[in-house]
Amino acid sequence: VPETVKAEVSEVVDEKSTELKDTAPIALPSTVEVDKHLEQVAAIAIMPLRLDQQIQGIKAIQKQLLDLHLQQVMMLDECTNLLQELNALKPRNDVEVKLVLDTFAEVKEKLSDVFGHFLPAQLDILKQ
């Protein structure tokens, strides 16, 4: 190999060595950062499964709410039936009139506290 070629290769190597020395050292991610990233990737990989679990929980709660709502409607119906029973009685004497009026007042107060926004029409009947 001629001396001039060796000199040129040497200069190229020297230039590259100098360039590498001038640049900032390559920062490798810390173990903590790598671990955190891997945890994030793993979490993303099972995200559909996690979402399925959340959806199953939501559906279970929706079913419970529906069951509770049905129970509430049945109880509201019973309250309406009690109002109709009270309204159907035609008092024959002053004692019965007083009993009906006192009962209406008590029933009205109790139903207003608990079911006011569910039975407005029935509560209006009581107010009359």
Side-chain angles (χ1 to χ4, degrees):
V1 181
E3 291 296 319
T4 55
V5 173
K6 283 184 183 178
E8 288 176 8
V9 170
S10 174
E11 287 176 16
V12 171
V13 171
D14 287 342
E15 285 177 16
K16 286 185 180 177
S17 314
T18 316
E19 288 175 11
L20 290 177
K21 290 177 187 173
D22 291 342
T23 60
I26 298 174
L28 296 175
S30 70
T31 305
V32 173
E33 290 172 343
V34 170
D35 289 347
K36 183 177 178 182
H37 178 75
L38 292 176
E39 285 176 17
Q40 290 173 328
V41 170
I44 297 299
I46 62 167
M47 187 176 284
L49 177 62
R50 292 172 28 218
L51 183 61
D52 288 345
Q53 291 171 340
Q54 293 296 317
I55 289 171
Q56 287 173 354
I58 290 168
K59 287 180 178 180
I61 290 171
Q62 287 174 332
K63 184 180 180 333
Q64 291 173 347
L65 287 172
L66 178 62
D67 292 344
L68 288 172
H69 179 71
L70 291 174
Q71 288 177 359
Q72 182 181 37
V73 168
M74 291 187 321
M75 293 178 87
L76 289 170
D77 284 346
E78 285 299 316
C79 290
T80 301
N81 291 341
L82 291 172
L83 288 175
Q84 290 172 350
E85 180 182 334
L86 188 57
N87 196 36
L89 179 67
K90 303 299 179 210
R92 295 184 180 168
N93 58 46
D94 290 345
V95 173
E96 290 177 359
V97 168
K98 181 172 178 6
L99 175 65
V100 168
L101 291 176
D102 290 346
T103 304
F104 260 124
E106 187 176 346
V107 167
K108 174 186 167 190
E109 182 181 332
K110 289 180 179 187
L111 289 177
S112 294
D113 288 345
V114 180
F115 299 113
H117 60 287
F118 290 109
L119 300 170
Q122 287 79 4
L123 291 176
D124 286 343
I125 291 170
L126 288 177
K127 290 177 185 175
Q128 297 171 357

